[in-house]
Amino acid sequence: MSGGGSQACGLCPDGDAPPAELASPAVDVGGWAAGVLRGYEVPGWLAVFPRRHVESVDALTGAEAEELGGALRSVTAAVRAATSCEKVYAVTFGERLPHFHVLVMAVPADLPAELRGAALIGGKDRLRDPAAALEVAEHLRFR
Ligand SMILES: [Zn+2]
């Protein structure tokens, strides 16, 4: 994974094109990138990821790690402002996409109990609304 990263990765920049796994443009958030992941187009769900290929949080530089806190705060505040969510989760797994990313997830107040916590990822298809998801991402762009 040298230079601009790996095209096979899906979240590394691919020339001037947005990363392949994004359904929205990548927005710069304090040195990190944020955007809507393909297949995860739920209103208020945004992936926050570094521009360079890194696979775990302990592979970040000290400066990148410090920027991450500010980026997560900004994206969470944007999600809260743009949705009527009750909570905002921030989770990282890295099973499907190796490029380190934190998924920031709006949790609607009326979300059924069976979709809360870790179950929310599995229930994403019940909440998908691509048009609304991209609209929330636009709030981030213009903040
Ligand atoms: Zn990558």
Side-chain angles (χ1 to χ4, degrees):
M1 314 281 177
S2 63
S6 165
Q7 289 188 347
C9 159
L11 277 183
C12 276
D14 182 11
D16 290 334
E21 287 285 342
L22 284 193
S24 72
V27 176
D28 185 84
V29 185
W32 283 61
V36 177
L37 286 181
R38 288 191 191 285
Y40 292 72
E41 298 98 337
V42 175
W45 287 23
L46 290 155
V48 178
F49 55 97
R51 300 272 182 187
R52 71 181 183 96
H53 190 87
V54 168
E55 297 196 354
S56 67
V57 72
D58 58 322
L60 298 172
T61 66
E64 287 169 337
E66 286 177 19
E67 288 170 354
L68 174 59
L72 288 176
R73 183 175 59 188
S74 294
V75 172
T76 299
V79 163
R80 201 180 289 287
T83 68
S84 57
C85 66
E86 175 183 65
K87 294 180 178 182
V88 183
Y89 295 166
V91 302
T92 182
F93 297 113
E95 295 290 353
R96 189 180 66 90
L97 275 176
H99 189 123
F100 176 71
H101 60 286
V102 178
L103 186 59
V104 173
M105 307 159 77
V107 182
D110 61 354
L111 188 72
E114 72 269 19
L115 288 183
R116 290 181 181 268
L120 185 53
I121 291 274
K124 67 180 167 49
D125 290 339
R126 284 170 59 179
L127 303 171
R128 277 184 74 216
D129 182 342
L134 295 178
E135 199 172 303
V136 173
E138 282 292 301
H139 274 259
L140 187 64
R141 203 194 234 310
F142 295 112
R143 255 173 97 78

